[in-house]
Amino acid sequence: MHFDSLALSDNILKAIKEQGYQTPSPIQAKAIPAVLAGKDVMAAAQTGTGKTAGFTLPILENLLKGLPAKVNQARVLILTPTRELAAQVEASVTTYGKYLSLTSAVVFGGVKINPQMIKLRKGVDILVATPGRLLDLYNQNAIRFEQLEVLVLDEADRMLDMGFIHDIKRIIAKLPKKRQNLMFSATFSDQIRTLAKGIVNQPVEISVSPPNTTTKSVTQWIHPVDKKKKPELLLHLITENRWKQVLVFSKTKHGANKLTRYLSEFGLNAAAIHGNKSQGARTKALAEFKQGTVKILVATDIAARGLDIDQLPHVVNFDLPQVAEDYVHRIGRTGRAGKTGQAISLVSADESKLLKDIERLTQQILERKLVDGFEPTHDLSQSDTVLKPLKPKKPKKPKQPNKFGQGNHGNDSQKKPEKRRKPKNTRNQSRQNTAKSFKGKR
Ligand code: AMP
């Protein structure tokens, strides 16, 4: 299939061609015709599937038909959980719409509100926003929705995880009833389906396999090591193997800072990216990492989510994730699009339970490789993991919105804890799904 057969205008096709895209990705092939036809869409797709273009391209096309946005109005509202994702989505809108005379803006917390208010004064065709800041702007009469035609919820599962449910409901209550709704989420959990019921209307359901289960080839292994020796081992691996670009995952913000300082002391160009960093610092670190000036980016899970950095040669789990699915998200950052990648985990004895969870989820025993001079004194016992998919746990009480999303309008992307809750029933459901798709790969 070619983009030419998708009923998009020449000026959009020209911008796509400039990006070097040859054919629509599976999600694009399905979503573009549905969105063009004005249908509601509910799509299960992760970052890396091309989902952004999947909704942006047909939205741009449809916007060409109507009247331009009036004062303080937006015609399309795209909600994202994090500032980084908001900025990336708007960058895509600008890229794909460069030959059109449509307008767009991005608003998120953590930066001054006044310039955003000024930007919205004339009205914008497409507004990309994080929920908290959008509500602030609405409450200050900087944005109106009478002209709103389309609502997009991007990474809806993550918005729920981050406690944005109430903000989302408040926003939806302010939108015209008649509108097109597009909802994107990594999984269709029960919680997402419940949310969707109040939003989408007879949606076209689209599901594409995550890129990490199909096109890629990732070699994974672990290095058993004592906890104390982890920084030194990482340094050794980076210098010994001359790694040029490595994304390192740390459990905590503090740990990320400490590790970054340690690596910098040895002359390595490292930067940390997490919720306590200012927007400016995060954008700078990401840009420098992509350019290659920063070779090592140390990130927490939540900070890394949604970042458009996914063709990495090496991903290192300095700490194993608390939630096994995050392992899949993390290693999904490497080996994209036919390239090979390495996902290496530094595992200490106290993490053996987490390791077991990962092995059960991914349905594979990870190879253990000892590094000379770093053999652990606290032994990480050989795996006794039984490769049997996890059983769903008993349902827990419904989740209460955490303080994260409540009254958090000024700084909505990642406020306090980057801690993750223990998996719930719905998560276990998705564990099993993921495990299935991994099974087919082995
Ligand atoms: P997304 O899943 O929207 O975050 O997109 C992931 C990456 O795929 C982005 O860097 C896009 O520029 C790229 N991309 C999107 N659509 C295509 C396509 N049809 N062909 C090649 N690359 C694409």
Side-chain angles (χ1 to χ4, degrees), residues 5-20:
S5 60
L6 283 172
L8 296 167
S9 300
D10 287 348
N11 279 341
I12 298 179
L13 292 174
K14 192 168 151 191
I16 298 172
K17 211 163 266 169
E18 276 183 17
Q19 287 306 298

Side-chain angles (χ1 to χ4, degrees), residues 249-364:
F249 283 94
S250 156
K251 190 168 64 180
T252 64
K253 300 177 226 180
H254 174 67
N257 285 339
K258 212 167 131 192
L259 183 59
T260 306
R261 274 198 305 273
Y262 174 84
L263 295 171
S264 304
E265 275 166 21
F266 286 90
L268 295 176
N269 242 337
I273 186 162
H274 55 65
N276 280 2
K277 292 271 171 186
S278 72
Q279 183 57 33
R282 286 199 249 170
T283 311
K284 183 166 171 278
L286 182 63
E288 291 181 345
F289 183 62
K290 282 185 172 180
Q291 264 168 25
T293 24
V294 163
K295 288 188 176 166
I296 305 142
L297 193 64
V298 187
T300 52
D301 283 297
I302 292 180
R305 175 82 184 193
L307 296 183
D308 184 19
I309 37 168
D310 50 24
Q311 304 221 350
L312 295 167
H314 314 285
V315 167
V316 172
N317 295 311
F318 186 79
D319 302 303
L320 283 186
Q322 299 296 304
V323 177
E325 284 96 333
D326 279 343
Y327 178 83
V328 181
H329 286 302
R330 288 177 178 190
I331 70 164
R333 299 288 182 179
T334 182
R336 286 267 159 96
K339 295 188 180 155
T340 53
Q342 295 179 331
I344 300 135
S345 303
L346 313 189
V347 185
S348 47
D350 59 307
E351 293 174 308
S352 48
K353 160 82 176 64
L354 299 174
L355 178 61
K356 204 179 262 194
D357 284 350
I358 290 165
E359 291 183 329
R360 287 178 74 184
L361 172 69
T362 60
Q363 291 290 288
Q364 61 187 333

Side-chain angles (χ1 to χ4, degrees), residues 222 224 355 359 365-370 380-383:
I222 66 167
L355 178 61
E359 291 183 329
I365 304 292
L366 293 168
E367 187 188 350
R368 281 127 168 91
K369 292 189 187 180
L370 291 173
L380 182 70
S381 51
Q382 269 308 314
S383 177

Side-chain angles (χ1 to χ4, degrees), residues 35 39 55 59 62-63 74-78 125 127 147-152 175 178-182:
V35 180
K39 295 194 174 128
F55 61 79
I59 283 175
N62 287 348
L63 282 177
R75 297 170 67 196
V76 174
L77 173 62
I78 303 173
D125 292 306
L127 177 61
Q147 243 188 300
L148 191 101
E149 299 166 38
V150 187
L151 169 70
V152 182
L175 307 181
K178 192 173 167 305
R179 56 169 202 267
Q180 186 177 20
N181 301 288
L182 315 175

Side-chain angles (χ1 to χ4, degrees), residues 62-322:
N62 287 348
L63 282 177
L64 294 174
K65 288 167 208 143
L67 294 172
K70 294 185 186 141
V71 178
N72 288 117
Q73 298 282 341
R75 297 170 67 196
V76 174
L77 173 62
I78 303 173
L79 289 177
T80 73
T82 65
R83 307 162 194 176
E84 282 84 3
L85 186 61
Q88 279 166 27
V89 170
E90 208 253 347
S92 297
V93 169
T94 311
T95 304
Y96 304 135
K98 67 193 278 196
Y99 297 112
L100 310 174
S101 52
L102 297 167
T103 54
S104 65
V106 58
V107 294
F108 44 70
V111 293
K112 283 188 188 148
I113 198 165
N114 273 3
Q116 298 179 346
M117 294 174 82
I118 293 166
K119 248 194 300 188
L120 296 178
R121 215 168 268 163
K122 283 192 192 147
V124 286
D125 292 306
I126 300 182
L127 177 61
V128 190
T130 51
R133 177 54 62 94
L134 184 74
L135 281 169
D136 280 349
L137 287 160
Y138 183 88
N139 292 334
Q140 299 193 41
N141 292 324
I143 185 76
R144 290 276 154 266
F145 297 118
E146 285 81 11
Q147 243 188 300
L148 191 101
E149 299 166 38
V150 187
L151 169 70
V152 182
L153 290 187
D154 197 8
E155 298 202 355
D157 52 336
R158 189 52 48 150
M159 287 206 247
L160 293 188
D161 274 0
M162 292 174 75
F164 285 138
I165 181 80
H166 292 286
D167 283 351
I168 292 171
K169 286 187 174 164
R170 267 181 222 130
I171 292 166
I172 287 171
K174 302 179 193 322
L175 307 181
K177 296 272 169 297
K178 192 173 167 305
R179 56 169 202 267
Q180 186 177 20
N181 301 288
L182 315 175
M183 201 164 144
F184 290 78
S185 176
T187 54
F188 281 159
S189 64
D190 292 349
Q191 237 190 334
I192 287 290
R193 286 189 182 277
T194 310
L195 174 73
K197 263 188 204 143
I199 300 176
V200 291
N201 186 14
Q202 296 184 322
V204 173
E205 288 199 11
I206 300 170
S207 184
V208 294
S209 52
N212 52 335
T213 58
T214 50
T215 52
K216 60 194 297 172
S217 116
V218 184
T219 321
Q220 305 165 54
W221 69 87
I222 66 167
H223 290 309
V225 62
D226 285 339
K227 204 170 201 67
K228 273 196 192 147
K229 296 271 258 182
K230 280 190 181 186
E232 207 185 316
L233 174 57
L234 179 63
L235 178 69
H236 170 84
L237 292 172
I238 294 171
T239 46
E240 189 78 7
N241 299 305
R242 296 168 196 236
W243 287 344
K244 299 249 167 350
Q245 200 186 31
V246 50
L247 178 62
V248 179
F249 283 94
S250 156
K251 190 168 64 180
T252 64
K253 300 177 226 180
H254 174 67
N257 285 339
K258 212 167 131 192
L259 183 59
T260 306
R261 274 198 305 273
Y262 174 84
L263 295 171
S264 304
E265 275 166 21
F266 286 90
L268 295 176
N269 242 337
I273 186 162
H274 55 65
N276 280 2
K277 292 271 171 186
S278 72
Q279 183 57 33
R282 286 199 249 170
T283 311
K284 183 166 171 278
L286 182 63
E288 291 181 345
F289 183 62
K290 282 185 172 180
Q291 264 168 25
T293 24
V294 163
K295 288 188 176 166
I296 305 142
L297 193 64
V298 187
T300 52
D301 283 297
I302 292 180
R305 175 82 184 193
L307 296 183
D308 184 19
I309 37 168
D310 50 24
Q311 304 221 350
L312 295 167
H314 314 285
V315 167
V316 172
N317 295 311
F318 186 79
D319 302 303
L320 283 186
Q322 299 296 304

